[in-house]
Amino acid sequence: MDRVAAKRIERLAMHWLLTILSLALLGLVRAFSSTGNRLLVVTEDSAGTEKYSTFWGDLESRGYRLSFESPKNDRLSLFQHGERAFDHIIFLPTRSKGLGPSLTPNLLLEFIKNNGNILLTLSAESPVPSAISSLLLELDIHLPPDRTSLVVDHFNYDTNSAGEKHDVLLLPQPSALRSDVRNYFGGDGVVAFPRAVAQELGNRSPLLTSIVRAPETAYSFNPKDETETAEESFAVGSQISLVSSMQARNSARFTVLGSVEALENTWFDARVRGQQGKDVKTSNREFAKQLSAWTFLESGVLKVGKVEHHLSTITESKPGNDSVAQLGYLNPKIYRIKNDVTFNIEFSEYSFDHLSPFTVLPGDALQLEFTMLSPFHRLDLQPISTTPNSTIFSTTFRLPDQHGIFAFRVNYKRPFLTNVDVKREVTVRHFAHDEWPRSWMISGAWTWIAGIWVTVAGWVAFVAIWLWSEPAYERNQGKKLQ
């Protein structure tokens, strides 16, 4: 029996050792992405992928496991046992009109609904498959109807490689959309977009954002139609989006890159020359890293840590956060009307391989809503402390004079950041019978209290007077004296 027990213990020890080693190896090979490292590259010509070897190497250095598959592969499937078989997809341009039964628009939309991310690349030299066109229409992204148009700019082009056709656009790395929107694609370099396909974003969807727009002097041009003019083109100027993005409500990301040639090795370290005549090196490699990192959830990812709320007491004589002190325990399920309550939430921002404290940009606000059917309070959350990888935001307020089921809600949705919607439900009750203030503490009741005591005093005075006013009697006859 001792030998059997010893063998069992030895087997269990080996099992736990192998488990720990497997977890350690998994941690070492895990990609920087917050959702996984399984990356599918859809391409018809596997030999042609050598043009993008530097891009593939950069992805592999960040921990991704690349799988190159043809869209016509019958064994290709985006789902296995009801779960995603891949975490991310890159589509390279294909010459066929269809993508096969495994890559239909419905399946691609289902992939996005299951938190999958897609980077779609286009080229004016390859017609867009009908499945991709249908998918883009579902997302309210429109492409030129002729499928062979490219973007031309006679003022912002590379004179070395496109001196005649003007179809290699040289644009600075994009700046922030607004002062309150983060920029994950910025820099001081120049990005080359050879033979880019124009995209036009619809106005109906708030989920669409243009990352790179064409200059005012650019327009979409069909080189096969020599009679076409700029006035007849698909789109002109800032209507043209060269790089577009869509972040779904579940924070899955879909990015359209209008120029797949921008990812080629040639343009990663090319020397280009604008009309100013100055030779500069392109920043395509840095931009490709920024674009793929954002698409695959390596950047622009918000994480919520602890969410706490509690009763508070406010001491006005103390400054800052010292004026608020906690009463009772954390996260109670029930409050009373007119209670002073403090709400705290911990925010972090994931960037490549680490969490860092999240900061709110000037002009923006992180807000708390205390809501029933509609918000009763909408308050700015202020940072009160930071840790090496998070920021704690807080606010203190007085509950409304309304009972019912309320919710603390932080609904923070901004371009290029994952959506945050945190809700904590609580019950707000009326005053209990022994919690109402005594009548003498209410100034409005002093008139009625005075009336009561005047009535009492008057009654006592009346009784006293009546008693002291008893009629006098004759001692001998026992008769009243008139």
Side-chain angles (χ1 to χ4, degrees):
M1 295 295 293
D2 293 340
R3 291 181 178 178
V4 174
K7 288 183 178 180
R8 288 180 178 176
I9 293 174
E10 184 179 355
R11 290 176 180 175
L12 286 173
M14 290 297 296
H15 173 75
W16 283 108
L17 180 62
L18 290 174
T19 302
I20 293 172
L21 289 174
S22 300
L23 291 174
L25 291 174
L26 183 62
L28 289 175
V29 302
R30 186 179 183 276
F32 291 164
S33 172
S34 58
T35 57
N37 65 342
R38 300 170 299 176
L39 176 58
L40 171 65
V41 181
V42 179
T43 177
E44 279 185 336
D45 185 11
S46 57
T49 57
E50 293 299 323
K51 296 185 296 185
Y52 316 102
S53 59
T54 304
F55 181 55
W56 308 140
D58 290 344
L59 291 173
E60 289 175 343
S61 67
R62 283 156 38 204
Y64 290 99
R65 292 189 290 111
L66 276 62
S67 301
F68 295 88
E69 296 289 348
S70 170
K72 301 299 184 180
N73 188 353
D74 295 334
R75 294 179 297 176
L76 176 62
S77 177
L78 300 181
F79 300 93
Q80 187 176 9
H81 307 301
E83 299 292 335
R84 294 195 322 265
F86 301 95
D87 302 306
H88 320 284
I89 302 177
I90 295 179
F91 281 97
L92 296 182
T94 61
R95 297 190 177 277
S96 58
K97 294 184 178 180
L99 292 179
S102 299
L103 298 172
T104 62
N106 288 336
L107 286 175
L108 294 175
L109 286 175
E110 191 66 26
F111 182 79
I112 295 174
K113 291 178 182 179
N114 283 268
N115 300 312
N117 306 300
I118 298 177
L119 174 59
L120 171 66
T121 62
L122 304 175
S123 175
E125 296 182 353
S126 300
V128 180
S130 57
I132 296 299
S133 298
S134 300
L135 175 63
L136 293 178
L137 287 176
E138 288 283 343
L139 303 178
D140 205 13
I141 301 175
H142 305 273
L143 300 179
D146 49 31
R147 298 188 179 186
T148 57
S149 293
L150 50 83
V151 180
V152 175
D153 190 337
H154 303 301
F155 296 89
N156 302 279
Y157 64 92
D158 178 27
T159 59
N160 291 336
S161 60
E164 296 182 359
K165 296 183 177 180
H166 304 175
D167 56 358
V168 179
L169 274 64
L170 299 182
L171 303 179
Q173 289 184 253
S175 57
L177 294 178
R178 303 188 305 268
S179 61
D180 59 339
V181 175
R182 278 174 165 73
N183 183 16
Y184 294 97
F185 317 98
D188 299 327
V190 174
V191 183
F193 293 96
R195 291 168 289 282
V197 177
Q199 307 137 48
E200 189 175 21
L201 306 184
N203 297 323
R204 294 178 297 172
S205 176
L207 308 178
L208 294 174
T209 307
S210 177
I211 297 176
V212 178
R213 287 195 178 274
E216 295 293 337
T217 52
Y219 61 94
S220 179
F221 174 73
N222 184 3
K224 295 183 179 180
D225 187 1
E226 297 296 339
T227 62
E228 186 177 8
T229 61
E231 288 77 7
E232 300 171 348
S233 62
F234 167 71
V236 297
S238 59
Q239 296 176 344
I240 299 174
S241 178
L242 300 177
V243 184
S244 309
S245 67
M246 189 282 298
Q247 181 169 269
R249 301 189 189 279
N250 62 353
S251 297
R253 290 169 175 174
F254 181 89
T255 303
V256 183
L257 175 60
S259 172
V260 68
E261 289 87 348
L263 303 178
E264 293 180 358
N265 302 340
T266 304
W267 294 102
F268 268 21
D269 56 357
R271 304 290 300 185
V272 294
R273 177 183 297 178
Q275 282 195 318
Q276 294 79 13
K278 183 179 179 180
D279 285 345
V280 295
K281 186 178 180 181
T282 60
S283 298
N284 284 40
R285 185 171 187 176
E286 179 185 357
F287 180 74
K289 178 182 178 181
Q290 294 170 335
L291 187 66
S292 59
W294 182 85
T295 305
F296 301 149
L297 292 176
E298 295 179 60
S299 62
V301 179
L302 295 182
K303 299 287 186 181
V304 176
K306 294 185 296 183
V307 179
E308 299 174 345
H309 53 87
H310 57 79
L311 284 171
S312 298
T313 179
I314 301 175
T315 305
E316 296 183 358
S317 60
K318 294 183 179 180
N321 297 327
D322 296 334
S323 63
V324 180
Q326 178 180 341
L327 295 177
Y329 54 90
L330 289 174
N331 304 329
K333 296 296 183 182
I334 188 168
Y335 289 102
R336 194 204 69 205
I337 60 174
K338 297 185 178 181
N339 274 149
D340 290 324
V341 175
T342 296
F343 179 86
N344 300 325
I345 187 168
E346 184 179 21
F347 263 82
S348 302
E349 183 177 0
Y350 183 79
S351 179
F352 289 97
D353 60 347
H354 66 281
L355 292 171
S356 58
F358 175 70
T359 57
V360 179
L361 295 178
D364 192 12
L366 178 63
Q367 294 184 321
L368 167 70
E369 294 180 353
F370 191 70
T371 178
M372 188 187 291
L373 296 177
S374 59
F376 277 68
H377 289 292
R378 184 177 285 119
L379 307 167
D380 289 349
L381 289 165
Q382 302 296 335
I384 59 171
S385 64
T386 58
T387 67
N389 54 14
S390 66
T391 303
I392 298 175
F393 295 85
S394 178
T395 189
T396 300
F397 64 100
R398 178 159 293 181
L399 297 182
D401 189 6
Q402 173 70 43
H403 70 286
I405 306 299
F406 285 82
F408 296 98
R409 185 180 185 187
V410 177
N411 186 16
Y412 189 73
K413 297 176 181 177
R414 299 294 185 271
F416 306 130
L417 286 173
T418 53
N419 300 325
V420 173
D421 193 356
V422 177
K423 294 178 69 175
R424 296 292 187 270
E425 289 189 353
V426 293
T427 301
V428 178
R429 62 173 177 83
H430 272 307
F431 280 99
H433 291 293
D434 58 351
E435 291 178 329
W436 291 98
R438 306 305 295 178
S439 57
W440 57 81
M441 299 178 63
I442 304 174
S443 60
W446 291 350
T447 304
W448 307 102
I449 294 173
I452 292 172
W453 285 109
V454 168
T455 303
V456 171
W459 173 252
V460 171
F462 169 76
V463 171
I465 293 172
W466 185 81
L467 290 176
W468 284 100
S469 300
E470 183 180 2
Y473 291 90
E474 292 184 1
R475 294 182 180 178
N476 296 332
Q477 290 125 1
K479 293 181 179 180
K480 290 183 181 180
L481 296 177
Q482 296 298 328

